[in-house]
Amino acid sequence: QSGISLRDMEFQSWSPLGIPDSEVSLPLGLLTEGAILAGPGGELDVESPSPSAMAAKMAAGGDGWSLDLRNIDSSARSWYTATFAHTDIRLGLDAESEPLPVEPRVVGTLGGIPVDVDGRVMIGNWQIVFAGLYAAGEAACSGLHGAGAAAGNRLLDALAGGSAAGTHASSYAGASKFSGSERLLSQLSEDESTLTSMLSTTSGDDTPRAGEIRSSLNNIMTNHMGLKRSEASLNEAVEKLSDLAGRAAGLRLDYRDSLLMNQNLVENIRIQSMVSIARTAVTAALLRQESRGTHNREDFTDQDDETFLKHSMVGADGASDWLPLRKSNHGSWILAPDA
């Protein structure tokens, strides 16, 4: 929304251990402690595949997958006390007595706000940065994962990226008075206008609801932006997301007495942002006419290094471009050629 294009949004991180009809995904570490993942064809070998590879195998095997936690080694069980309690109290599932239903699901994108090795937000290319603005962790696209994340590396990325960004930001703040405030003030004015619109009208019977928008978004992305994609399915997603964005813009507040701790307001803003981000991801997936990492096109099954060994860049307005690869100051690839 502030004019910064997002990078590599077509690449996603999958979990094979999502609990159906909830937003809960179980820790992958359970699979190394004796938990058994089984489906219609029997037990799934989980020794070597990445989370995305396991999710793909599950999707190919059909519905009816379950995770049996009753065989977890007693010495490791204490590490997952909170997991057992969470599934019982929040979901009403007793992992102590029966297998839990699971399904593959997207848990995040590997793309995001483009940053360099110091966590500085980039605008368009490697030479221009948004002065004073930094990003790290889930919000940023550092390039550490390439086109597919290994289990546990998202936390590593957050720790390393946060440290690098914090170190550079402290040096920058001590040496400069400029912080790119004009862009920030412009965005603040736009956000205030959005809030005023939400506050101006209360919800009615025909007003879109955040839960309905979220459910529709989940269905669109699962059906058209899943483990297998094609030009036809992605174009259908573009049309449906365009309609959904219009509905999301009509969200209003049920509770308007105060903006303090207003979860209704927070949820509405989050949903609108999710729809916008989903649209950039689908656009990026259409642009990348090859299969690489977690991006698998049924109509372009080969990896095409000559044409697509580079970063996709997509803005909130749909404008797109490509960013050439480069190596960091330490000689490592920002996006590895063999990712």
Side-chain angles (χ1 to χ4, degrees):
Q1 292 177 342
S2 60
I4 299 173
S5 295
L6 301 183
R7 186 170 77 193
D8 295 341
M9 292 297 290
E10 66 272 33
F11 300 119
Q12 298 172 325
S13 177
W14 287 79
S15 170
L17 305 182
I19 301 293
D21 302 319
S22 79
E23 296 182 9
V24 176
S25 291
L26 300 175
L28 291 173
L30 291 166
L31 297 174
T32 63
E33 301 293 353
I36 298 175
L37 180 60
E43 184 177 345
L44 180 67
D45 179 14
V46 297
E47 287 297 324
S48 57
S50 67
S52 295
M54 281 189 281
K57 287 186 176 182
M58 291 172 66
D63 299 328
W65 289 87
S66 65
L67 185 71
D68 194 338
L69 305 183
R70 293 173 293 182
N71 295 319
I72 290 182
D73 187 88
S74 58
S75 62
R77 185 173 289 267
S78 61
W79 286 95
Y80 298 101
T81 300
T83 298
F84 281 88
H86 190 64
T87 55
D88 184 12
I89 297 172
R90 181 174 175 181
L91 304 176
L93 300 173
D94 185 4
E96 298 277 7
S97 61
E98 60 183 354
L100 303 176
V102 292
E103 64 181 7
R105 69 156 56 127
V106 172
V107 293
T109 175
L110 301 182
I113 302 170
V115 297
D116 64 7
V117 293
D118 294 313
R120 297 181 298 176
V121 173
M122 298 161 36
I123 306 176
N125 59 53
W126 293 109
Q127 284 73 46
I128 305 176
V129 298
F130 191 132
L133 184 61
Y134 295 79
E138 298 288 323
C141 178
S142 66
L144 182 145
H145 305 293
N153 272 10
R154 293 182 73 86
L155 178 58
L156 174 63
D157 185 21
L159 292 172
S163 175
T167 299
H168 195 282
S170 64
S171 298
Y172 175 85
S176 176
K177 296 181 180 180
F178 175 71
S179 62
S181 59
E182 290 185 6
R183 285 178 178 266
L184 296 176
L185 290 174
S186 175
Q187 184 61 47
L188 178 61
S189 176
E190 184 177 329
D191 290 341
E192 288 177 341
S193 176
T194 300
L195 292 179
T196 300
S197 177
M198 283 190 187
L199 290 168
S200 63
T201 308
T202 57
S203 296
D205 293 339
D206 58 345
T207 303
R209 302 289 177 173
E212 296 172 0
I213 302 295
R214 179 189 289 273
S215 178
S216 296
L217 178 61
N218 180 65
N219 289 335
I220 292 170
M221 299 303 283
T222 299
N223 295 331
H224 304 294
M225 186 72 175
L227 290 160
K228 294 292 184 180
R229 308 161 183 178
S230 67
E231 183 175 2
S233 70
L234 292 171
N235 279 327
E236 188 172 349
V238 169
E239 295 180 8
K240 291 183 177 180
L241 286 173
S242 178
D243 176 68
L244 194 63
R247 291 169 55 199
L251 287 171
R252 296 294 181 264
L253 298 179
D254 294 315
Y255 176 73
R256 303 167 60 228
D257 292 344
S258 173
L259 293 180
L260 298 177
M261 302 297 290
N262 192 323
Q263 293 303 308
N264 186 194
L265 173 62
V266 172
E267 181 68 3
N268 284 358
I269 294 174
R270 180 183 292 121
I271 290 296
Q272 290 175 342
S273 297
M274 289 171 63
V275 173
S276 178
I277 290 172
R279 297 178 76 180
T280 66
V282 172
T283 299
L286 273 168
L287 288 172
R288 188 172 291 279
Q289 297 180 345
E290 64 159 356
S291 291
R292 181 186 299 273
T294 60
H295 172 70
N296 295 294
R297 289 281 297 262
E298 293 180 309
D299 45 354
F300 295 97
T301 57
D302 294 332
Q303 181 171 302
D304 183 358
D305 287 350
E306 183 176 350
T307 307
F308 294 107
L309 188 57
K310 48 194 172 185
H311 301 286
S312 65
M313 302 287 285
V314 180
D317 59 357
S320 60
D321 201 355
W322 295 98
L323 179 68
L325 268 67
R326 74 164 194 174
K327 289 187 176 182
S328 70
N329 296 333
H330 306 292
S332 58
W333 287 98
I334 301 298
L335 173 60
D338 57 351

